[in-house]
Amino acid sequence: MSALPTTGREWQLVARPHGWPEAGDLALREVPVSEPGEGRILVRNLHFSVDPYMRGRMNDVPSYLPPFQIDQPLDGHAVGVVVASAAEGFAVGDTVAHFLGWREYAEVPAAHAHKIDTSLAPASAYLGVLGMPGLTAYAGLFRTAGFKEGDAIFVSGAAGAVGSLVGQMARVKGASRVIGSAGSAAKVQHLTERYGFSAAFNYKDGPVAEQLAKAAPDGIDVYFDNVGGDHLEAAIDSLKLHGRVTLCGAIAQYNDTEPSVVLRNLITAIGKRLRLEGMMVADHEDLRPQFVRDVAGWIASGDIVYDETVVEGIEHGFDAFIGMLRGENTGKMVVSLPE
């Protein structure tokens, strides 16, 4: 135990952002590190995740997760190595996933951590393709949207951690057409050439509704929404009778300071008998074993590929977070903490 560190760094919220977060809203602070209490483990984090939902937790409003508190550490998914254990079932050297990210060392209740199999994929993959984004894609596509073979699907934010997997999973399961939107020509090319999308477009090149209609002249059966706003409105126009929408995220609106414009065509959903359903990944933990088996198999066979945008060093955590909100990542944005 004498070899354990006495201090470590963590990111804390020091002011609530108005609009886009600024560097002064967060602070990287050094805090004490102690041996784990009974039933707990001390983890040296190797990688932590930055995700869109974290922006909402910076606001002091009720939501499905409690807001971050001022002068307290941020949290989120992380993977690391156990360096001390006072919990049965966990040994020094185990690689684990948990929810106390944004810090170098985390004292974690054993009940809130689980061991991960790094023979299937590197540890960082459990923050992306085999972690929360992957399970979000899997549950949102197959359970919430009720995807079936032959469906045509449109995915917004398709080059991101969730969207890139949704499109590939749909392709693997026999989609008739997979269409994605992204924010740059390079990402559009990536969608078709690397992820195997049937078609893709840059939403900055013109009205989304016009570009989607051109990419899917026969309409779509499923829309997986990571963006909201004009993408959702365009999808409603393109959806066929009895179309389904998974409402997963609305990143286009997370930093708005004024109320968003109400969808102008929502009444169309009545005549088309559309189903629009919100989804939270926490509701689908029962799917995790099946999800890991399926996706690990698809990775091994080469049916699914994944990307990570890695930012090195805890001191660049805020930069990674803002970069993710601005769409600078391809695949999962991960902060890595070298030894």
Side-chain angles (χ1 to χ4, degrees):
M1 289 294 186
S2 58
L4 291 179
T6 57
T7 63
R9 293 174 293 173
E10 66 182 22
W11 281 98
Q12 297 184 2
L13 184 70
V14 296
R16 299 202 180 276
H18 181 71
W20 283 89
E22 299 179 356
D25 296 329
L26 275 66
L28 183 61
R29 292 172 170 170
E30 192 146 349
V31 297
V33 172
S34 59
E35 295 181 9
E38 186 65 28
R40 302 172 74 92
I41 56 177
L42 182 65
V43 179
R44 177 176 60 81
N45 283 336
L46 301 174
H47 315 277
F48 68 83
S49 178
V50 291
D51 299 286
Y53 75 87
M54 295 173 175
R55 174 61 188 87
R57 294 187 66 196
M58 293 179 178
N59 301 329
D60 191 14
V61 295
S63 186
Y64 60 92
L65 285 173
F68 295 130
Q69 297 301 304
I70 299 295
D71 292 324
Q72 294 297 315
L74 283 71
D75 57 39
H77 290 94
V79 291
V81 176
V82 176
V83 294
S85 175
E88 187 176 349
F90 290 89
V92 171
D94 286 345
T95 307
V96 298
H98 60 87
F99 201 68
L100 294 182
W102 289 89
R103 65 199 80 186
E104 291 178 310
Y105 290 88
E107 193 207 5
V108 185
H112 297 166
H114 63 272
K115 287 187 272 191
I116 58 176
D117 185 354
T118 55
S119 70
L120 298 177
S124 59
Y126 286 85
L127 299 179
V129 63
L130 290 176
M132 181 272 287
L135 182 56
T136 299
Y138 189 91
L141 180 64
F142 298 125
R143 177 176 280 174
T144 306
F147 175 86
K148 58 185 184 296
E149 185 177 357
D151 279 344
I153 178 172
F154 171 47
V155 186
S156 58
V162 173
S164 61
L165 297 173
V166 171
Q168 293 185 82
M169 290 176 185
R171 171 178 51 75
V172 168
K173 285 296 189 176
S176 61
R177 193 160 179 78
V178 180
I179 301 143
S181 70
S184 73
K187 287 184 178 181
V188 167
Q189 184 177 5
H190 208 68
L191 291 177
T192 56
E193 294 185 359
R194 178 159 168 80
Y195 298 145
F197 280 56
S198 311
F201 60 86
N202 183 347
Y203 66 84
K204 298 174 183 176
D205 285 348
V208 174
E210 293 179 10
Q211 296 196 75
L212 177 58
K214 183 177 180 180
D218 298 323
I220 58 174
D221 301 287
V222 171
Y223 171 48
F224 197 105
D225 187 22
N226 292 307
V227 173
D230 58 351
H231 280 73
L232 179 55
E233 191 171 86
I236 288 173
D237 281 341
S238 286
L239 281 159
K240 303 175 188 177
L241 193 68
H242 298 298
R244 292 93 68 201
V245 178
T246 294
L247 300 171
C248 179
I251 195 169
Q253 299 158 246
Y254 288 166
N255 296 297
D256 289 352
T257 56
E258 299 295 332
S260 301
V261 176
V262 176
L263 296 173
R264 296 168 296 182
N265 62 347
L266 189 56
I267 194 170
T268 307
I270 299 172
K272 290 186 177 182
R273 279 83 99 196
L274 303 181
R275 176 163 60 82
L276 287 73
E277 184 175 347
M279 71 88 59
M280 298 300 306
V281 68
D283 297 336
H284 305 283
E285 274 296 317
D286 62 299
L287 289 178
R288 185 176 293 279
Q290 178 185 340
F291 149 72
V292 171
R293 285 195 302 271
D294 285 349
V295 175
W298 293 333
I299 293 171
S301 67
D303 287 324
I304 281 184
V305 296
Y306 66 94
D307 290 296
E308 295 175 341
T309 300
V310 178
V311 174
E312 295 281 352
I314 191 172
E315 63 273 15
H316 298 300
F318 177 79
D319 300 331
F321 177 65
I322 288 295
M324 176 273 304
L325 289 178
R326 296 192 186 281
E328 295 172 4
N329 55 302
T330 297
K332 184 74 190 75
M333 181 72 90
V334 173
V335 179
S336 291
L337 285 61
E339 291 188 51

